[in-house]
Amino acid sequence: MKIGVDKNSYKKIKDDENEYIYLFKNEKLEDLLKTGLHCIRYNICDYVDINTTDYNVDCLKKCKITDKDWNKIEKKNYKIGIIIPNCNYEHTVEKCLKSIERQTYKNYEVIFIDDMSMDRSVYYASKFEDKLTKLKIISLRQKRLNGGARNEGYLYLSNDVDYVYYIDSDDWFYDENSLEEINNKLQKDPDVLFVGLADYKNGKTKECYIPNFKDKYQAIRGWSGSCGKVIKKELATRQECLYKEGTLKEDRNQHCAICFYMKNFELLKKPIYVWNKENRKSITTVRSKNILWKTSTIRHYADTLELYLKLKGQDLEIDKYLKERVEKTKKEMLEGGDRQW
């Protein structure tokens, strides 16, 4: 159903399957752009379904609306900076970069950060320098792990980048329209866009996670992986939101900080990213054999406690959640560190 709203009611629109249309008279273009909705003048078109129960909007009749009836607002093409941390994934680098090359949406740049690989990862990445003209390959001279690699990637983003997204070098985009889908959902200019994920296992790709948050309190408890959100650059690079370095458990506390400081968010309720669960070399696969995973658990507890104490008293609901996480990470640390909260 197409529902008409005006300046008194458009901020009350619901997250549902209806299509909301902004009805205006003589408002400025910049004010119309802020709504993020299709806009129609009252006196030009009355072909819109109006739910008068929920909205006090005057309109005339119901009718199927067509494209020729719209006063369309120019769509913005946001520039997306894609940061790819890598270490010894020569066997998947090409598939990852190929999925970016195939994208129909082209307003992006790629920062490939190699964290002292011992294999030919950089060689395989360099094969895409002619195909991806916006590809920058950076080789670190000191081990930084994924969090540090992403922090380093921020330094190489162009000034005109609007949003940041992260892909691990053993994963790839869901299909060639993933970036297009992301840009479509960025039209309301959110601080964060939470996106859906699929996983690849036993030769099959299957939807595994779709965000469905109502508020930031639900979001902070949701999927914490970096691949699950597109973040406005100024928020991602904010000092309080940088990744912790020197740990394999960098995602969760960065996620909590992002959710705390974001002012608004949108949801993309379909997969745009594929998590490769067949990579036998991934950290999550070999974690029980990796001593750094266990020491990262101790660090994770300390980082979580630090975040809790830093934010304590500013939001009681988030205080409650972070206090729970402090207890969980402490228990995890004492029990050997084989989980990640």
Side-chain angles (χ1 to χ4, degrees):
M1 182 176 182
K2 301 179 189 300
I3 298 178
V5 293
D6 63 6
K7 62 183 179 181
N8 297 316
S9 57
Y10 87 92
K11 291 184 179 180
K12 301 176 184 178
I13 63 175
K14 302 174 182 177
D15 183 15
D16 54 26
E17 299 303 318
N18 294 315
E19 184 174 354
Y20 291 87
I21 301 160
Y22 188 77
L23 304 174
F24 70 97
K25 292 184 179 178
N26 298 307
E27 296 173 51
K28 296 180 180 179
L29 177 60
E30 53 264 35
D31 292 331
L32 298 179
L33 288 170
K34 292 176 183 178
T35 69
L37 302 173
H38 287 300
C39 299
I40 300 179
R41 290 185 186 277
Y42 277 105
N43 60 348
I44 290 181
C45 182
D46 58 3
Y47 302 113
V48 58
D49 297 337
I50 298 300
N51 186 336
T52 55
T53 302
D54 292 339
Y55 303 102
N56 183 23
V57 179
D58 294 325
C59 202
L60 300 178
K61 63 184 179 181
K62 295 181 179 181
C63 182
K64 182 178 181 181
I65 198 161
T66 59
D67 285 344
K68 64 182 178 62
D69 298 315
W70 296 112
N71 262 346
K72 293 198 171 181
I73 295 176
E74 184 178 353
K75 181 178 177 181
K76 183 169 181 180
N77 292 326
Y78 289 95
K79 187 169 184 178
I80 302 170
I82 302 171
I83 297 178
I84 306 176
N86 172 78
C87 183
N88 295 328
Y89 283 166
E90 64 179 6
H91 59 297
T92 57
V93 163
E94 288 188 278
K95 185 166 185 176
C96 174
L97 294 176
K98 184 68 176 178
S99 77
I100 299 174
E101 181 192 0
R102 292 174 56 233
Q103 292 300 304
T104 57
Y105 186 79
K106 300 299 183 182
N107 193 19
Y108 64 81
E109 66 181 28
V110 182
I111 314 296
F112 184 91
I113 307 290
D114 186 71
D115 190 27
M116 299 188 70
S117 291
M118 302 295 289
D119 63 8
R120 303 180 72 196
S121 294
V122 172
Y123 165 75
Y124 287 113
S126 66
K127 292 170 65 176
F128 284 82
E129 287 180 313
D130 292 334
K131 302 173 185 177
L132 297 173
T133 57
K134 303 168 186 176
L135 171 64
K136 302 175 186 176
I137 300 175
I138 312 300
S139 295
L140 299 181
R141 296 184 178 182
Q142 182 177 354
K143 194 70 176 173
R144 304 276 294 279
L145 301 181
N146 275 359
R150 295 187 187 111
N151 288 344
E152 184 73 13
Y154 296 149
L155 302 178
Y156 295 90
L157 292 172
S158 300
N159 291 335
D160 60 346
V161 165
D162 300 299
Y163 284 88
V164 179
Y165 187 55
Y166 316 94
I167 299 182
D168 289 342
S169 58
D170 58 335
D171 300 332
W172 51 86
F173 276 122
Y174 184 74
D175 60 28
E176 66 273 14
N177 298 315
S178 292
L179 283 179
E180 191 77 53
E181 297 279 358
I182 286 173
N183 186 64
N184 290 341
K185 277 293 185 177
L186 292 179
Q187 295 305 303
K188 292 185 181 180
D189 197 36
D191 282 346
V192 181
L193 172 65
F194 294 99
V195 302
L197 309 171
D199 61 26
Y200 179 75
K201 191 174 183 180
N202 299 323
K204 295 182 180 180
T205 301
K206 184 179 180 181
E207 177 185 301
C208 67
Y209 172 78
I210 298 297
N212 192 28
F213 317 132
K214 299 298 183 183
D215 53 42
K216 68 176 180 179
Y217 305 114
Q218 292 182 4
I220 202 171
R221 294 175 179 271
W223 176 272
S224 64
S226 296
C227 57
K229 50 193 170 290
V230 184
I231 309 170
K232 190 169 285 187
K233 183 173 73 172
E234 54 261 39
L235 176 60
T237 58
R238 180 172 174 159
Q239 182 68 35
E240 298 90 340
C241 296
L242 295 179
Y243 285 94
K244 295 293 184 180
E245 301 191 19
T247 175
L248 297 179
K249 299 187 176 185
E250 78 285 349
D251 286 351
R252 171 51 70 174
N253 286 320
Q254 186 259 8
H255 173 81
C256 290
I258 291 293
C259 290
F260 179 83
Y261 289 107
M262 70 182 182
K263 296 179 181 178
N264 53 18
F265 66 88
E266 290 291 325
L267 305 176
L268 179 47
K269 296 183 178 181
K270 62 176 294 185
I272 64 100
Y273 182 99
V274 179
W275 177 13
N276 178 17
K277 291 188 175 180
E278 288 198 347
N279 181 10
R280 306 304 178 189
K281 296 173 61 177
S282 74
I283 291 170
T284 53
T285 300
V286 301
R287 62 189 182 187
S288 62
K289 302 176 183 178
N290 190 339
I291 192 171
L292 186 55
W293 181 271
K294 296 183 183 298
T295 57
S296 291
T297 303
I298 301 171
R299 170 68 183 275
H300 187 49
Y301 167 65
D303 290 340
T304 305
L305 179 59
E306 178 187 4
L307 182 64
Y308 167 64
L309 294 175
K310 184 184 296 184
L311 300 182
K312 187 177 179 181
Q314 300 184 56
D315 188 304
L316 295 180
E317 186 69 23
I318 290 180
D319 280 359
K320 178 181 177 182
Y321 170 65
L322 290 179
K323 186 176 181 180
E324 292 173 2
R325 284 200 53 244
V326 168
E327 294 303 316
K328 287 181 178 179
T329 53
K330 181 179 181 179
K331 181 179 179 182
E332 177 195 3
M333 176 181 65
L334 295 174
E335 292 180 352
D338 193 40
R339 298 190 65 185
Q340 182 171 14
W341 296 100

